[in-house]
Amino acid sequence: QVQLVESGGGLVQTGGSLRLSCRASGRPFSSYSMGWFRQAPGKERESVATISWTGGSTTYGDSVKGRFTISRDNAKNTVYLQMNSLKPEDTAVYYCAAKFIGSNWSFWGPGTQVTVSS
């Protein structure tokens, strides 16, 4: 099992920045890929960014490319999401997730709210 806890959400003005953190516990952190997802009211959950277990491979959703950066520190069992140039449409609950190679996103954190005011 993997337990995930997000932190770093909050209220920020348009154009501002936030850094989300997700600390993992349980199975060895370096053995699974990590991802950030978000869900806004009335919308489906969408993938924001993912990172491989080595950190050498990342993916980003089209709406956040060039503004968000995902990274991980395996020594600290933590994955980060640096969010710059935030827009009101980035307002959502952000979830951290983990998966092992060849499996689905099986482990999820409780989420952290990000609100961007216009």
Side-chain angles (χ1 to χ4, degrees), residues 16 19 21 27 45 51 54 62 67 83-84 86 113-114:
R19 187 175 84 154
S21 299
R27 299 282 292 273
R45 186 176 296 185
I51 188 166
T54 64
D62 288 341
R67 300 188 298 123
M83 306 186 294
N84 298 328
L86 283 161
Q113 176 71 46
V114 171

Side-chain angles (χ1 to χ4, degrees), residues 11 15-16 21 23 26-27 35 43-44 56 59 64-65 74 76 85-86 88 97 101-102 106 108-109 111-112 114:
L11 174 64
S21 299
R23 194 170 193 284
R27 299 282 292 273
K43 295 187 177 181
E44 293 186 355
T59 68
V64 307
K65 283 180 181 177
N74 287 350
K76 295 182 178 180
S85 303
L86 283 161
I101 295 175
S106 304
W108 295 84
T112 185
V114 171

Side-chain angles (χ1 to χ4, degrees), residues 37-46 91-95 113:
F37 296 77
R38 68 185 182 187
Q39 187 166 22
K43 295 187 177 181
E44 293 186 355
R45 186 176 296 185
E46 65 172 336
T91 296
V93 177
Y94 284 70
Y95 299 91
Q113 176 71 46

Side-chain angles (χ1 to χ4, degrees), residues 47-105:
S47 176
V48 175
T50 67
I51 188 166
S52 64
W53 66 278
T54 64
S57 177
T58 58
T59 68
Y60 294 93
D62 288 341
S63 61
V64 307
K65 283 180 181 177
R67 300 188 298 123
F68 290 11
T69 303
I70 189 171
S71 62
R72 66 189 294 162
D73 185 338
N74 287 350
K76 295 182 178 180
N77 291 354
T78 302
V79 63
Y80 305 97
L81 184 69
Q82 178 66 45
M83 306 186 294
N84 298 328
S85 303
L86 283 161
K87 307 175 181 179
E89 51 263 44
D90 294 318
T91 296
V93 177
Y94 284 70
Y95 299 91
C96 174
K99 75 180 189 78
F100 296 102
I101 295 175
S103 68
N104 298 323
W105 296 99

Side-chain angles (χ1 to χ4, degrees), residues 26-41:
R27 299 282 292 273
F29 184 67
S30 60
S31 63
Y32 40 88
S33 299
M34 299 295 297
W36 286 98
F37 296 77
R38 68 185 182 187
Q39 187 166 22

